[in-house]
Amino acid sequence: MSILEVEHVQKVYTTRFGGNQVQALADVNFQVDAGEYVAIMGESGSGKTTLLNILAALDKPTRGQVILNGKVLSMIREKELSAYRRKNLGFVFQDFNLLDTFNIQDNIFLPLVLAGESYETMKSKLHPIAQQLRIEEILRKFPYEVSGGQKQRVAVARALITGPQLILADEPTGALDSRAAGDLLTIFQEINENGQTILMVTHSVMAASRAKRVLFIKDGQVFHQIYRGEKSDEEMYGMISDTLRILATGGDCYE
């Protein structure tokens, strides 16, 4: 069953001076099924960030529509958008987006506080997530007291605690060293195996090679995709690298 449907999405910006139009997305079409783990890749300027902003309901397409769990995002009223995002979407960013004035536990609780949850409910939701992400011992610390890898696990916990339909991850390994990045990607695979749907935008071949499907964006549309099937991480890595080389040289992809 498709949890996310992207139908003929186009985005055109008008420049502030001169009124020139810039097409960021031309005609993007794809679906994400419940329980999938999808990575999106493409060269700088290919439209990945624009697409992510539209999927997050932070921007609206010029044409086309995005449907999340049966709801057309562009039809949601502005005053309801924040609550809708909080309930249905979890976000993991490259730079963690943690508040240094809050301890780790309170950072994770923040979306539930905004939703009006009771403290006991928040505690009951946090316990299994903190166990799974191995952050129980740092809950009383502050973000500036923990490592980058720990910060990103905290960000994942904050994304998970609302029970979102979809997690959107924007370059989640970008600020991590190779070991912390590997640990985070293993966590992503574990939570996906538990049924969490994930869509990740990344430049990292290593990160994308852990996904179940990889979409490649070129000239504002989906150029190619690779399904994992029975492929190993190493086989995925090789196929992704080959596809990126083809993208860079303007060739045609193979199936």
Side-chain angles (χ1 to χ4, degrees), residues 10-28:
Q10 180 191 60
K11 184 65 180 182
V12 177
Y13 293 102
T14 301
T15 57
R16 186 174 179 182
F17 301 105
N20 295 323
Q21 291 193 327
V22 177
Q23 182 171 268
L25 297 173
D27 185 24
V28 177

Side-chain angles (χ1 to χ4, degrees), residues 80-119:
E80 298 172 352
L81 266 176
S82 292
Y84 185 83
R85 278 194 293 264
R86 193 163 56 240
K87 182 178 180 181
N88 293 280
L89 297 171
F91 298 94
V92 180
F93 302 97
Q94 177 176 333
D95 58 358
F96 320 125
N97 281 19
L98 302 177
L99 300 175
D100 278 339
T101 53
F102 286 12
N103 67 22
I104 296 300
Q105 177 174 278
D106 288 343
N107 266 281
I108 298 169
F109 281 165
L110 186 57
L112 298 183
V113 171
L114 295 173
E117 297 270 9
S118 70
Y119 182 73

Side-chain angles (χ1 to χ4, degrees), residues 5 8 65 74 78 126 129 164 167 175 192 204 217 232 237 248 251:
E5 300 170 68
H8 302 290
Q65 61 185 13
S74 60
E78 285 294 329
L126 175 61
I129 294 173
I167 284 184
N192 174 248
S204 168
I217 304 290
S232 66
Y237 190 102

Side-chain angles (χ1 to χ4, degrees), residues 189 209-212 225-240 254-255:
Q189 286 181 306
S209 69
R210 301 284 195 98
K212 291 179 178 176
Q225 59 183 325
I226 297 172
Y227 287 87
R228 170 177 292 276
E230 299 301 317
K231 299 180 186 71
S232 66
D233 290 350
E234 291 76 16
E235 289 171 321
M236 285 290 286
Y237 190 102
M239 291 188 72
I240 293 166
Y254 52 83
E255 293 296 331

